């Protein structure tokens, strides 16, 4: 599993004050009162001491959709956090499937109290998802700050993460080949689905960068943070590393996931919205190639996706070589080339040369529309 870089720890213990609201949330009539410590946690990367002090000061007003749960309510919802309800585990802690008294199915993320980043992530995520709302951002149902317990409650995303689908497809294909079968046990994501997922992720980032005021730098875009509902609609999740502007800030220590971080961020800690654009380029490349951003199971020269793809990205005549073999060439070559060209622009070494997410989304909207029309007009598969 690819881990996140460690976070730095700024001073804590400053007095409480009202945090400025993103303008999009103010128009909706929602507010969130945070201590100055928690604002620093969002603005500078946070620290465990500051976040621990701030977490108890998080107050969401009655117009917000986020609900404060007791630990007992969430324990009952997950059948006392039974192993059978476990959906997965990450840097924050374990995620369980639960059912509230209302009947709503939810995902409950429980803070690992021994983790290095959990309290900070809790504060930042409650703040961000209470203020920011978009169809391509996961919805925060509520939270629990009961004693030492820290839990987050999200809408349930039935189809898991994009990483699950890409990885399981190739695992199935490998197993089928080993057993002499002709095809994997389940169909891979179609070209149309991949373009729809790319467009949804792009729109989520566009909202964070160009609609929210101040802009939000997501900082941890990766395939495991793109969740899919039962209609394969993508939603960005895990906002624990997100940061409010300003543009051009410098982070004392890099926070993010290896394989997705922009070169200027790794070298000098320079953090802008274009840092996210680079990460989106990696994600789009994953969708096109079916490969993981970092895959230690591959030969040494192919383990880092961007390094492996770079020679092909520099030569448009080689774009076709990047297509996932599991697609079986079931895509328009022109559309493949346009998708790869978008990825190549997003992966420019110079941040200023990368496009805005609105520009990338515009191209991907065209590609997704074309793919949907082609899928609708295709003859049904023969039985």
């Amino acid at each position: 599993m690819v881990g996140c870089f460690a976070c730095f720890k700024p001073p804590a213990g400053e007095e409480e004050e009202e945090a400025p609201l993103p303008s999009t949330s103010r128009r909706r009539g929602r507010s969130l009162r945070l201590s100055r410590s928690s604002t620093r946690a969002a603005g500078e990367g946070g620290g465990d001491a500051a976040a621990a002090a701030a977490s108890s000061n998080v107050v969401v007003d009655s117009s917000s959709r986020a609900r404060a749960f007791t630990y007992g309510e969430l324990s009952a919802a997950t059948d006392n956090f039974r192993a059978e309800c476990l959906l997965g585990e990450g840097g924050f802690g374990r995620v369980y499937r639960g059912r509230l008294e209302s009947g709503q199915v939810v995902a409950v993320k429980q803070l690992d109290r021994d983790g290095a980043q959990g309290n900070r992530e809790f504060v930042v995520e409650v703040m961000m998802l209470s203020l920011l709302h978009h169809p391509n951002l996961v919805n925060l149902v509520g939270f629990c700050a009961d004693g030492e317990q820290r839990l987050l409650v999200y809408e349930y995303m039935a189809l898991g993460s994009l990483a699950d689908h890409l990885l399981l497809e190739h695992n199935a294909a490998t197993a089928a080949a080993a057993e002499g079968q002709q095809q994997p046990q389940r169909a891979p994501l179609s070209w149309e689905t991949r373009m729809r997922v790319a467009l949804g992720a792009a729109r989520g980032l566009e909202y964070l960068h160009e609609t929210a005021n101040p802009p939000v730098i997501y900082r941890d875009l990766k395939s495991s943070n793109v969740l899919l509902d039962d209609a394969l609609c993508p939603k960005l999740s895990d906002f624990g590393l997100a940061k409010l502007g300003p543009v051009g800030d410098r982070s004392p220590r890099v926070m993010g996931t290896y394989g997705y971080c922009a070169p200027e961020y790794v070298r000098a800690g320079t953090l802008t919205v274009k840092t996210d654009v680079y990460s989106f380029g990696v994600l789009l490349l994953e969708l096109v190639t079916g490969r993981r951003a970092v895959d230690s199971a591959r030969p040494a020269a192919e383990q880092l996706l961007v390094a492996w793809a770079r020679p092909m990205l520099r030569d448009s005549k080689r774009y076709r070589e990047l297509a996932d073999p599991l697609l079986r060439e079931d895509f328009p070559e022109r559309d493949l080339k346009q998708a790869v060209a978008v990825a190549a622009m997003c992966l420019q070494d110079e941040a200023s040369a990368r496009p805005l997410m609105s520009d990338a989304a515009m191209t991907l909207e065209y590609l997704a529309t074309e793919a949907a029309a082609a899928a609708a007009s295709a003859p049904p598969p023969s039985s």
Side-chain angles (χ1 to χ4, degrees), residues 129 135-139 157 200-205 208 218 221-222 225-227 234-239 283:
L129 291 180
N136 296 114
L137 304 185
V138 70
N139 180 43
M157 302 295 285
R203 283 177 170 164
L205 285 180
L208 295 177
Y218 184 35
L221 180 67
K222 55 185 175 181
N225 280 348
V226 178
L227 304 184
K235 300 193 179 189
L236 306 184
S237 68
D238 283 344
F239 280 74
L283 180 76

Side-chain angles (χ1 to χ4, degrees), residues 247-271:
V247 173
D249 195 12
R250 289 182 181 271
S251 176
R253 187 171 298 177
V254 174
M255 299 169 65
T257 302
Y258 180 63
Y260 292 89
C261 290
E264 74 279 2
Y265 186 40
V266 174
R267 286 194 307 263
T270 304
L271 186 63

Side-chain angles (χ1 to χ4, degrees), residues 154-234:
Y154 304 96
E155 61 179 315
Y156 178 65
M157 302 295 285
L159 297 184
S161 75
L162 174 61
D164 294 336
H165 286 263
L166 294 175
L167 181 58
L168 289 175
E169 286 169 10
H170 283 267
N171 283 351
T174 302
E179 296 173 8
Q181 300 175 7
Q182 293 185 347
Q183 58 184 12
Q185 297 175 350
R186 75 177 195 178
L189 294 177
S190 67
W191 177 255
E192 186 269 334
T193 298
R194 296 181 197 217
M195 291 300 98
R196 183 150 45 92
V197 170
L199 173 59
R203 283 177 170 164
L205 285 180
E206 179 187 3
Y207 168 79
L208 295 177
H209 293 177
E210 302 176 38
T211 302
N213 183 23
V216 175
I217 303 171
Y218 184 35
R219 204 157 44 159
D220 201 19
L221 180 67
K222 55 185 175 181
S223 55
S224 60
N225 280 348
V226 178
L227 304 184
L228 306 172
D229 66 13
D230 52 8
L232 286 168
C233 173

Side-chain angles (χ1 to χ4, degrees), residues 11-331:
E14 300 190 26
E15 70 269 22
E16 186 175 355
E17 70 174 10
E18 291 280 327
L21 300 180
S23 60
T24 52
S25 299
R26 188 182 297 113
R27 286 196 298 268
R28 294 168 182 257
R30 296 186 175 88
S31 64
L32 181 70
R33 187 167 72 250
L34 297 163
S35 70
R36 182 178 294 177
S37 299
S38 59
T39 305
R40 288 175 62 87
E44 301 179 10
D48 294 335
S55 59
S56 61
N57 292 329
V58 175
V59 178
V60 183
D61 75 7
S62 58
S63 65
S64 173
R65 290 178 290 180
R67 169 185 167 188
F69 289 92
T70 66
Y71 181 74
E73 287 176 307
L74 299 183
S75 180
T78 58
D79 200 6
N80 201 27
F81 301 97
R82 289 182 60 188
E84 290 81 2
C85 297
L86 184 65
L87 296 174
E89 188 169 3
F92 181 100
R94 295 180 175 180
V95 182
Y96 295 86
R97 185 178 186 272
R99 185 181 295 274
L100 303 178
E101 286 187 354
S102 64
Q104 181 182 3
V105 178
V106 294
V108 179
K109 185 160 67 170
Q110 184 178 37
L111 164 64
D112 177 3
R113 283 177 287 178
D114 296 326
Q117 297 178 1
N119 274 318
R120 178 192 54 76
E121 289 190 3
F122 178 85
V123 173
V124 175
E125 195 142 3
V126 170
M127 184 186 76
M128 292 293 181
L129 291 180
S130 294
L131 294 174
L132 304 171
H133 301 280
H134 186 270
N136 296 114
L137 304 185
V138 70
N139 180 43
L140 180 70
V141 177
F143 59 92
C144 171
D146 194 348
E148 294 184 355
Q149 298 293 339
R150 297 289 181 267
L151 302 98
L152 295 166
V153 184
Y154 304 96
E155 61 179 315
Y156 178 65
M157 302 295 285
L159 297 184
S161 75
L162 174 61
D164 294 336
H165 286 263
L166 294 175
L167 181 58
L168 289 175
E169 286 169 10
H170 283 267
N171 283 351
T174 302
E179 296 173 8
Q181 300 175 7
Q182 293 185 347
Q183 58 184 12
Q185 297 175 350
R186 75 177 195 178
L189 294 177
S190 67
W191 177 255
E192 186 269 334
T193 298
R194 296 181 197 217
M195 291 300 98
R196 183 150 45 92
V197 170
L199 173 59
R203 283 177 170 164
L205 285 180
E206 179 187 3
Y207 168 79
L208 295 177
H209 293 177
E210 302 176 38
T211 302
N213 183 23
V216 175
I217 303 171
Y218 184 35
R219 204 157 44 159
D220 201 19
L221 180 67
K222 55 185 175 181
S223 55
S224 60
N225 280 348
V226 178
L227 304 184
L228 306 172
D229 66 13
D230 52 8
L232 286 168
C233 173
K235 300 193 179 189
L236 306 184
S237 68
D238 283 344
F239 280 74
L241 298 185
K243 182 185 182 301
L244 299 176
V247 173
D249 195 12
R250 289 182 181 271
S251 176
R253 187 171 298 177
V254 174
M255 299 169 65
T257 302
Y258 180 63
Y260 292 89
C261 290
E264 74 279 2
Y265 186 40
V266 174
R267 286 194 307 263
T270 304
L271 186 63
T272 70
V273 293
K274 295 298 183 75
T275 308
D276 283 344
V277 175
Y278 183 95
S279 300
F280 178 79
V282 180
L283 180 76
L284 182 54
L285 203 55
E286 286 184 294
L287 283 163
V288 169
T289 65
R291 292 174 175 240
R292 301 169 69 185
V294 179
D295 191 346
S296 58
R298 292 188 181 273
E302 300 182 18
Q303 290 182 5
L304 193 61
L305 176 58
V306 173
W308 168 76
R310 190 70 77 184
M312 288 167 273
L313 293 175
R314 290 171 177 159
D315 183 356
S316 60
K317 295 179 180 178
R318 300 187 63 189
Y319 281 2
R320 192 178 184 86
E321 297 176 38
L322 292 166
D324 185 351
L326 293 184
L327 286 169
R328 299 180 181 275
E329 300 188 356
D330 187 14
F331 51 80

